[in-house]
Amino acid sequence: MAYRAIKYIFLFILSLMISVLIPISGSYGSEASTMESKLKAAFIYNFAKFVEWPASTDNAATNQLFVIGILGYNQVAKELMAIEDKTVKGKKLSVKTLSNTKQMRDCHVIFISASEQNNLTGILTTIKHKEILTISDMINFTEKGGIIGLVKVENKIRFDINLKAAEESGLKIRSDLLSLAREINH
């Protein structure tokens, strides 16, 4: 019963974050940018709680850590590093800035910054069929093969999900997260 209550609290918090009106337009300058980055980091952290990885995902390097990798430059990395003391799925959260695609293999989640737009095809090809949740705020990320795309709609952060890409990576996205998605690509 306690698990169900916790599950609904997390779901409530996630849906609150999605529906809250947070001004992220240019009129608020860097304050809005910081708020947007914090909100995206919160989304990324909470997405991990609603995705199931196969047992084979754990290896000697990562069995004590839940690793979120950041590929490319983005303010979101700073916000994620600020919550490194948290846990995900009973493991200590570790946030790593990645400098190349070889470093991605030990990650559970990879946030691909929009600065990597020109490298996206190669990045997604490198980790295709690997048990890694890909997230980005690039335009049309899920249409290009990414799993979760953060999108700004009417000054709110929403998200799209590419269910086929998730399944190809061996990941199961829980129905309660799917029900909150703006769009689901099959």
Side-chain angles (χ1 to χ4, degrees), residues 118-173:
N118 293 336
N119 304 320
L120 183 62
T121 302
I123 293 166
L124 293 177
T125 299
T126 299
I127 57 176
K128 189 172 181 128
H129 302 293
K130 295 207 173 19
E131 298 153 344
I132 299 172
L133 175 63
T134 55
I135 303 172
S136 183
D137 55 3
M138 283 182 211
I139 295 171
N140 299 322
F141 181 67
T142 57
E143 288 87 352
K144 296 174 183 175
I147 298 175
I148 298 179
L150 298 169
V151 294
K152 192 172 6 175
V153 179
E154 298 176 6
N155 289 331
K156 298 177 191 176
I157 301 296
R158 304 278 192 204
F159 62 94
D160 298 335
I161 296 175
N162 182 329
L163 198 54
K164 181 181 178 193
E167 290 169 354
E168 288 175 351
S169 295
L171 305 176
K172 293 182 182 166
I173 299 176

Side-chain angles (χ1 to χ4, degrees), residues 54-157:
S56 63
T57 301
D58 290 332
N59 62 40
T62 62
N63 65 0
Q64 299 299 317
L65 300 174
F66 187 91
V67 182
I68 297 177
I70 308 292
L71 198 55
Y73 175 76
N74 196 298
Q75 180 69 21
V76 175
K78 178 182 171 188
E79 300 303 334
L80 280 168
M81 288 181 185
I83 61 169
E84 264 195 307
D85 60 331
K86 303 230 182 243
T87 60
V88 177
K89 302 198 176 283
K91 299 178 180 189
K92 184 180 184 302
L93 177 62
S94 174
V95 179
K96 296 182 178 181
T97 302
L98 309 174
S99 58
N100 61 59
T101 55
K102 290 179 183 176
Q103 297 172 318
M104 295 188 298
R105 70 175 175 258
D106 292 330
C107 297
H108 294 88
V109 176
I110 296 177
F111 179 77
I112 305 168
S113 174
S115 68
E116 295 298 313
Q117 178 84 30
N118 293 336
N119 304 320
L120 183 62
T121 302
I123 293 166
L124 293 177
T125 299
T126 299
I127 57 176
K128 189 172 181 128
H129 302 293
K130 295 207 173 19
E131 298 153 344
I132 299 172
L133 175 63
T134 55
I135 303 172
S136 183
D137 55 3
M138 283 182 211
I139 295 171
N140 299 322
F141 181 67
T142 57
E143 288 87 352
K144 296 174 183 175
I147 298 175
I148 298 179
L150 298 169
V151 294
K152 192 172 6 175
V153 179
E154 298 176 6
N155 289 331
K156 298 177 191 176
I157 301 296

